[in-house]
Amino acid sequence: MGQKSKFQILLCIFVFSGFCLPHAKIISIPMKIHAALEGKKIAVLCGGRSRERDISLRSGKNVLAALIRLGFDAISVDPEASFPEGDFIAHLKAQEFDIVYNILHGEYGEDGTIQAILDFHNIPYTGAKVLASAVSMNKVAAKRIFQSAQIPTAEFVVINPEPGSTAEADRIKTLLGLPVVIKPVSEGS
């Protein structure tokens, strides 16, 4: 296993340890992870252009504060900002970040887009890779994969409501009963 892969695995553990929760009180992180990040320059990628920009900025602020509080060299980077180097990729390279902590939400941040861009430029980042991000962002695709693997998942119906029509609502009540949760297919939770 090469250094880059080992680093990505450690960061996955870091992300799922509850670190990215905005209200989490982080006192310490596992020593192995702390040691792997020590001396690394971390770009906290937040903001972006999705409808969830404001949430991403708030999450990014919390992650940045936690990283700094823990003694890491971390800086917030919004891909929609203006950079002297041109675009944010040129900025990431010019500033010599070692890793990107991706906290972009919604489209472009969780759908595999930013992951593909970072992969193309050989920039290490936290979280899932391109395919896992793209599939998990599309709730219908993810549910169908879960079903095909016989992983228990709540019943669902894909709807295409027409304005002013109650036909879809009646169909949902018949198929699933109430209450139900309605979510867009490819936006955040």
Side-chain angles (χ1 to χ4, degrees):
M1 178 182 298
Q3 181 65 22
K4 183 178 175 187
S5 296
K6 187 176 186 183
F7 196 54
Q8 288 173 337
I9 290 167
L10 290 174
L11 285 168
C12 255
I13 295 165
F14 187 36
V15 171
F16 292 117
S17 68
F19 189 155
C20 60
L21 299 174
H23 303 293
K25 295 196 177 176
I26 306 301
I27 295 171
S28 67
I29 57 173
M31 294 304 290
K32 209 173 190 182
I33 295 168
H34 199 286
L37 292 174
E38 202 162 7
K40 305 289 183 193
K41 190 171 181 182
I42 305 167
V44 177
L45 201 58
C46 60
R49 62 171 65 168
S50 82
R51 291 185 224 186
E52 298 178 59
R53 175 182 170 75
D54 291 339
I55 295 165
S56 175
L57 287 169
R58 283 197 311 261
S59 298
K61 181 179 174 184
N62 289 321
V63 167
L64 180 66
L67 287 169
I68 291 170
R69 190 171 52 249
L70 291 168
F72 294 109
D73 181 10
I75 298 168
S76 177
V77 176
D78 181 350
E80 290 300 297
S82 297
F83 300 103
E85 301 88 358
D87 63 21
F88 82 97
I89 292 293
H91 178 71
L92 292 175
K93 289 180 175 183
Q95 296 300 312
E96 298 180 340
F97 287 103
D98 296 298
I99 190 156
V100 169
Y101 189 114
N102 179 23
I103 201 73
L104 292 172
H105 292 295
E107 188 178 20
Y108 308 113
E110 294 175 287
D111 64 357
T113 303
I114 193 66
Q115 293 82 359
I117 292 168
L118 294 170
D119 278 347
F120 180 81
H121 291 283
N122 295 312
I123 299 172
Y125 57 91
T126 61
K129 299 300 245 169
V130 177
L131 181 60
S133 297
V135 170
S136 63
M137 185 68 169
N138 183 309
K139 293 170 188 69
V140 175
K143 295 284 250 174
R144 289 186 175 143
I145 289 170
F146 297 155
Q147 287 176 330
S148 72
Q150 299 179 342
I151 297 171
T153 183
E155 299 263 344
F156 73 100
V157 174
V158 178
I159 62 171
N160 296 301
E162 292 183 30
S165 172
T166 61
E168 287 291 86
D170 293 338
R171 183 170 79 95
I172 291 168
K173 280 193 266 183
T174 301
L175 292 170
L176 302 176
L178 294 176
V180 296
V181 174
I182 298 174
K183 296 178 161 239
V185 171
S186 289
E187 288 187 28
S189 57

